[in-house]
């Protein structure tokens, strides 16, 4: 189905949905770009089951994985314009849509401990971050973690000075480019689909991704070293069309937000299990794996975090400053 056809069909359903807010049965479509086996899809399906149970089947969430309804940019715009009910999208793809989203590119934004990282989200940061989307023609109902990036390279990478002179692939983000520059690294935004070949041919020396991505994309085949740094947050938001969201009954909105909150712990556990399984397979493949100590993590954060923070603040304006202050207050509350 062409994207225009998907838009027309989605628009018709959205108009129908907003007009039957008081009816007994409502079906909402949620699209995302990840595979049916991904943590995001597993989480959304579990959320849909919980919503159906909470509403006695009166509200159904229909989940469309793997870009069936378009790429992330297309789906975000479709939600904004009312052609799609909702999308669960990676924040990393939304810096152009919402400059504040680039705060997630700052390395070592969260501590490696997942419980402390969640405590920072829960200390007001997640709510404020989500709110930053709401003036852009969408309604953000939640932020959830979807993994943490690690370093791989064909050279040792256990100390900041070992990165100097290397070339790393990063996502297209000046925050990441400046953060890696602080290590003496040349950061190159190469399309994800070209990364394996770029590593294989030596165009870049290393990259950063979650463990399950490193394994599933077979990057371990063309890398020699993996450093467990837990340095890069992979976060997703769930965005609804505002008319669809406000057109729902109060109990239905509550069912969705409660189901999301209840599902997040299981989603974190699912992602962690996928990471552990991938890590073991990467070890079995013969890569040198090194877990950074607390002191080593602090050394990396002392170099990369300020560079990433300054690059973010230089580009995100007053709204970026405001969200960073909320983040810093939440971080200090949890870590001090």
């Amino acid at each position: 189905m062409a994207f225009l056809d998907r838009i027309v069909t989605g628009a018709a359903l959205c108009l129908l949905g907003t007009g039957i807010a008081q009816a007994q049965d409502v079906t909402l479509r949620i699209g995302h770009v990840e595979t049916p086996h991904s943590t995001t899809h597993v989480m959304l399906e579990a959320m849909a089951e919980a919503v159906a149970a909470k509403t006695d089947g009166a509200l159904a969430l229909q989940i469309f994985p793997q870009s069936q309804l378009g790429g992330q940019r297309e789906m975000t715009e479709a939600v904004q314009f009312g052609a799609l009910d909702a999308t669960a999208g990676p924040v990393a793809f939304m810096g152009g849509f919402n400059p504040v989203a680039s705060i997630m590119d700052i390395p070592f934004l969260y501590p490696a401990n997942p419980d402390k990282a969640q405590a920072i989200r829960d200390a007001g940061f997640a709510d404020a971050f989500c709110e930053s989307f709401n003036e852009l023609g969408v309604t953000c109902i939640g932020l959830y973690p979807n993994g943490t990036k690690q370093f791989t390279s064909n050279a040792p990478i256990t100390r900041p000075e070992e990165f100097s002179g290397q070339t790393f692939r990063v996502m297209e983000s000046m925050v990441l480019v400046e953060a890696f520059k602080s290590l003496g690294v040349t950061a190159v935004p190469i399309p994800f689909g070209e990364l394996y070949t770029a590593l294989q041919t030596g165009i870049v020396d290393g990259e950063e991704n979650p463990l399950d991505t490193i394994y599933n994309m077979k990057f371990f085949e063309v890398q020699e070293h993996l450093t467990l740094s837990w340095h890069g947050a992979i976060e997703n938001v769930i965005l609804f069309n505002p008319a669809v969201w406000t057109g729902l009954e109060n109990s239905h909105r509550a069912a969705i937000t409660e189901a999301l909150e209840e599902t997040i712990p299981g989603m974190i556990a699912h992602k962690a299990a996928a990471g552990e399984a991938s890590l073991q397979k990467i070890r079995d493949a013969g890569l040198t794996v090194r877990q950074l100590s607390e002191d080593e993590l602090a050394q990396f954060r002392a170099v990369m975090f300020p560079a990433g923070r300054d690059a973010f603040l230089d580009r995100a304006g007053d709204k970026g400053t405001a969200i960073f202050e909320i983040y810093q207050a939440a971080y200090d509350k949890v870590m001090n």
Side-chain angles (χ1 to χ4, degrees):
M1 181 185 293
F3 181 62
L4 180 59
D5 294 334
R6 294 198 296 266
I7 288 289
V8 171
T9 301
L13 288 175
C14 282
L15 290 172
L16 179 62
T18 56
I20 60 170
Q22 301 304 315
Q24 290 299 310
D25 298 308
V26 178
T27 298
L28 302 178
R29 302 187 312 156
I30 302 178
H32 68 89
V33 298
E34 299 185 51
T35 71
H37 302 293
S38 67
T39 296
T40 283
H41 190 72
V42 170
M43 182 272 291
L44 289 173
E45 290 286 5
M47 190 174 82
E49 291 181 10
V51 166
K54 290 175 183 292
T55 63
D56 295 324
L59 178 60
L61 304 182
Q62 192 173 8
I63 314 302
F64 293 85
Q66 210 159 359
S67 301
Q68 291 180 31
L69 302 182
Q72 189 56 59
R73 179 176 177 178
E74 291 173 324
M75 286 190 289
T76 301
E77 291 176 349
V79 170
Q80 187 181 29
F81 298 136
L84 177 64
D85 299 312
T87 183
V91 171
F93 295 169
M94 297 184 182
F97 179 71
N98 179 10
V100 168
S102 296
I103 192 173
M104 295 299 178
D105 291 337
I106 301 174
F108 298 98
L109 192 74
Y110 296 128
N113 183 301
D115 293 332
K116 290 183 177 180
Q118 188 60 39
I120 291 171
R121 294 184 192 94
D122 293 340
F125 176 56
D127 288 343
F129 181 81
C130 213
E131 182 66 28
S132 73
F133 285 84
N134 292 350
E135 61 186 55
L136 302 173
V138 295
T139 297
C140 178
I141 69 159
L143 170 74
Y144 65 92
N146 195 26
T148 308
K149 291 184 285 187
Q150 319 290 348
F151 295 123
T152 70
S153 178
N154 282 323
I157 44 173
T158 56
R159 300 190 306 275
E161 57 268 25
E162 289 179 327
F163 280 74
S164 182
Q166 294 197 56
T167 300
F168 265 61
R169 181 268 178 183
V170 298
M171 295 185 68
E172 191 169 348
S173 164
M174 285 307 299
V175 173
L176 288 171
V177 169
E178 292 298 320
F180 274 83
K181 185 178 179 181
S182 70
L183 294 173
V185 169
T186 299
V188 182
I190 293 174
F192 185 70
E194 300 174 15
L195 178 51
Y196 183 95
T197 301
L199 292 167
Q200 186 179 42
T201 58
I203 293 174
V204 292
D205 302 301
E207 55 86 43
E208 53 164 9
N209 264 299
L211 290 168
D212 54 343
T213 301
I214 293 168
Y215 177 74
N216 291 334
M217 299 304 296
K218 301 186 184 299
F219 297 148
F220 67 93
E221 294 180 345
V222 287
Q223 296 278 262
E224 296 180 10
H225 297 270
L226 166 67
T227 293
L228 300 174
S229 52
W230 314 101
H231 68 276
I234 304 292
E235 306 279 285
N236 283 31
V237 286
I238 298 182
L239 305 177
F240 269 79
N241 174 266
V244 170
W245 184 251
T246 58
L248 294 172
E249 297 177 13
N250 290 340
S251 61
H252 287 182
R253 290 198 298 270
I256 293 172
T257 55
E258 289 170 6
L260 173 60
E261 183 176 351
E262 293 166 4
T263 303
I264 284 176
M267 182 276 302
I268 293 174
H270 184 276
K271 191 71 175 182
E276 285 299 319
S278 297
L279 177 58
Q280 185 57 55
K281 293 172 182 176
I282 291 169
R283 289 184 189 275
D284 293 344
L287 266 69
T288 300
V289 179
R290 170 72 186 282
Q291 167 70 64
L292 295 180
S293 68
E294 289 294 326
D295 287 344
E296 289 168 333
L297 288 170
Q299 291 174 25
F300 273 95
R301 189 177 196 271
V303 176
M304 297 188 77
F305 181 85
R309 174 200 62 204
D310 292 349
F312 168 71
L313 293 175
D314 285 346
R315 291 163 176 80
D318 293 341
K319 293 177 182 178
T321 298
I323 195 71
F324 184 83
E325 290 174 351
I326 293 170
Y327 156 77
Q328 191 64 60
Y331 183 90
D332 292 342
K333 179 179 179 181
V334 171
M335 301 301 291
N336 294 336

